[in-house]
Amino acid sequence: MKKKTGQKSREGRITLKADGALRVPNRPIIPYVQGDGTGVDIWPAGQRVMDAAVEKAYGGRRSIEWLRVYAGQEAMDRFGTPLPDETLKAFRFYRVGIKGPLTTPVGGGIRSVNVALRQVLDLYACVRPVYYIPGVPSPVRNPERVNMVIFRENTEDVYAGIEWKKGSADAKKLLRFLNEDMLAGTGKRIRADSGIGVKPVSVRGTQRIVRMAIQHALRERCPSVTLVHKGNIMKYTEGAFQEWGYGLARKEFGGKVVFEDDQAKAATKSKASRLLVKDRIADAMFQQVLLRPEEYSVICTLNLNGDYLSDACAAMVGGLGMAPGGNLGDGLAVFEATHGSAPRYAGQDKVNPSSVILSGVSMLEYMGWHEAGKVIQEALTRTIERRTVTYDLERQMKAEGRKGVKLLRCSEFADAICKNMR
């Protein structure tokens, strides 16, 4: 792992201003993880597109110096650990990074490196923009109605990783405590052959994700923020998320928001100039995003709900191959391809690199380089509208009966995007 030291390292470092905003040099050093599996294909394609867009937008006045770091299976093979300290140090020092997909085994083996990265760096917000790119095949009739950002709490809920295997000494100990001390006289009992997990939801974790979602909505002039929860069943975790979220909104943003549950305020003309804060039950929300997606511009929810909901919404606009994502903390961010590593396709130069490319757009926007992000979005749209696409989109377009579809390899798709930049 090559290290950056001395004056060059300091000059290329993104830092924070007194107000918490980023100070981005013209040639920032950005750490990146290529990723496992198809990362070997999609990362070079994505990097080439980002570099070309920055050059097109700024004519050489700005550029990115890429610093390779390691995580996942590749890091395990090289260093004996899936998440080396040097990788964490690089992300902390340079403040903005990006990564390809990382493999997470089901059952045994290492736990999710993605989850570990978020928890260790306290990247408490998984931010998933969901929007339709014209020409992309979609399973819904009007995918252009989908334009939302999902803020998923990233560090708590069942993803905290606090669980015990069925039959283990610790599981038996906890079962005895729960059944004999906590559940005695309630008529409830946990079966002896159960694995046990804990679902923590804290005031702090809730408030900071809700705060970030509301701040984003106000900054971008979005019409609403919707808190999504299952508080009708899990009253002291998900129900508390709703309660604490509303409390935070009233206390910190009272003059700027209006609440759907306050009929007197909701009926006033001031509603039009205020951000509407509302909530929905998680299972009903899946129906809502299908039937009335235009009513939801910002969604804020817990970890597991956000995992399900963001993938479901991504399917509406073309699937995870078209879905950008980023993990944000306070003055620290790591953007990522949202799909899996698909190792069986690794090295075939076949898969769609759009997820990592669009995550690069999110990264550039986070850095304040909006012009470069716009160059990518417009060029990607031109490329897809011309029906020059990778195999996943090609087979869907042909299934829809579209004519004149041209199949491109992953690298060729990146080349086409670069050629379509204006």
Side-chain angles (χ1 to χ4, degrees):
M1 193 181 303
K2 186 178 179 181
K3 296 182 180 179
K4 297 283 180 181
T5 57
Q7 184 66 25
K8 187 176 182 180
S9 174
R10 291 190 295 273
E11 290 175 354
R13 182 188 182 193
I14 295 173
T15 56
L16 292 181
K17 301 177 183 178
D19 63 357
L22 295 182
R23 181 184 288 109
V24 181
N26 285 333
R27 287 171 173 77
I29 296 171
I30 303 294
Y32 74 93
V33 175
Q34 175 176 277
D36 296 326
T38 55
V40 69
D41 301 305
I42 67 171
W43 174 255
Q47 181 181 334
R48 189 159 71 255
V49 169
M50 285 181 266
D51 284 340
V54 171
E55 173 63 29
K56 178 68 70 174
Y58 306 115
R61 298 190 310 277
R62 290 175 172 172
S63 63
I64 294 174
E65 182 172 348
W66 300 101
L67 172 64
R68 186 170 184 180
V69 294
Y70 297 87
Q73 189 59 52
E74 187 177 27
M76 195 73 184
D77 294 341
R78 284 174 172 260
F79 307 109
T81 174
L83 191 56
D85 288 341
E86 289 298 320
T87 297
L88 296 171
K89 289 177 182 177
F91 283 137
R92 286 193 182 103
F93 185 77
Y94 293 107
R95 293 195 175 274
V96 176
I98 189 168
K99 68 179 187 66
L102 299 177
T103 298
T104 300
V106 177
I110 61 172
R111 286 190 179 270
S112 171
V113 181
N114 294 316
V115 173
L117 187 64
R118 297 164 188 167
Q119 292 178 342
V120 172
L121 296 178
D122 200 24
L123 302 173
Y124 59 84
C126 179
V127 182
R128 293 278 294 272
V130 186
Y131 52 87
Y132 180 65
I133 294 176
V136 173
S138 167
V140 299
R141 290 181 179 177
N142 301 110
E144 69 280 356
R145 294 165 61 195
V146 181
N147 187 7
M148 63 186 72
V149 182
I150 298 173
F151 284 77
R152 166 190 170 194
E153 203 291 319
N154 233 355
T155 64
E156 298 187 323
D157 199 5
V158 293
Y159 284 73
I162 306 172
E163 59 178 356
W164 293 270
K165 185 178 180 180
K166 185 266 299 182
S168 66
D170 286 337
K172 292 177 179 178
K173 181 179 179 181
L174 183 56
L175 279 169
R176 283 195 300 270
F177 169 69
L178 292 172
N179 285 329
E180 296 174 12
D181 293 354
M182 301 301 295
L183 298 178
T186 66
K188 300 177 182 179
R189 188 171 184 83
I190 302 173
R191 298 184 181 95
D193 59 350
S194 299
I196 304 293
V198 176
K199 177 188 176 74
V201 177
S202 70
V203 175
R204 179 172 180 261
T206 296
Q207 289 182 340
R208 61 184 185 173
I209 189 69
V210 173
R211 181 184 295 113
M212 184 181 285
I214 292 177
Q215 287 173 338
H216 169 87
L218 291 171
R219 184 171 60 251
E220 301 298 323
R221 299 184 179 181
C222 301
S224 68
V225 171
T226 305
L227 306 180
V228 177
H229 60 90
K230 191 64 178 171
N232 57 330
I233 303 298
M234 292 170 277
K235 299 182 183 300
Y236 303 126
T237 51
E238 305 231 354
F241 174 83
Q242 181 227 36
E243 178 186 344
W244 297 331
Y246 271 118
L248 182 280
R250 289 191 173 94
K251 180 179 179 181
E252 297 189 9
F253 302 96
K256 301 177 181 178
V257 300
V258 63
F259 301 93
E260 188 179 54
D261 62 346
D262 188 332
Q263 295 301 317
K265 287 184 179 179
T268 66
K269 294 181 180 179
S270 63
K271 179 181 177 182
S273 60
R274 291 186 182 183
L275 175 69
L276 175 64
V277 177
K278 54 188 176 179
D279 72 280
R280 294 290 183 271
I281 299 298
D283 48 335
M285 190 64 189
F286 283 88
Q287 174 176 268
Q288 292 291 303
V289 295
L290 281 168
L291 300 179
R292 300 181 182 131
E294 65 278 359
E295 295 182 11
Y296 302 96
S297 52
V298 176
I299 294 172
C300 183
T301 189
L302 289 162
N303 213 331
L304 185 59
N305 295 332
D307 197 358
Y308 295 154
L309 195 57
S310 58
D311 284 10
C313 290
M316 296 169 64
V317 296
L320 289 178
M322 303 300 300
N327 301 288
L328 277 60
D330 294 324
L332 187 66
V334 178
F335 297 85
E336 64 182 353
T338 58
H339 52 73
S341 58
R344 65 175 176 162
Y345 294 117
Q348 296 182 27
D349 194 22
K350 181 177 182 179
V351 298
N352 185 348
S354 294
S355 179
V356 75
I357 289 171
L358 290 171
S359 295
V361 171
S362 294
M363 182 187 76
L364 292 166
E365 291 175 342
Y366 179 77
M367 293 163 53
W369 292 14
H370 298 279
E371 300 85 356
K374 185 177 180 181
V375 167
I376 294 175
Q377 288 179 314
E378 292 179 349
L380 179 60
T381 298
R382 292 187 193 101
T383 305
I384 292 173
E385 286 184 325
R386 293 174 183 178
R387 302 178 186 181
T388 49
V389 293
T390 49
Y391 85 101
D392 56 325
L393 300 182
E394 184 246 5
R395 65 185 180 186
Q396 292 179 67
M397 287 181 176
K398 286 187 174 180
E400 292 178 350
R402 302 192 201 184
K403 305 296 183 181
V405 183
K406 183 179 180 181
L407 174 63
L408 299 180
R409 303 180 74 82
C410 175
S411 57
E412 293 171 337
F413 186 62
D415 291 339
I417 296 171
C418 294
K419 290 177 182 177
N420 286 325
M421 290 180 181
R422 301 285 186 268

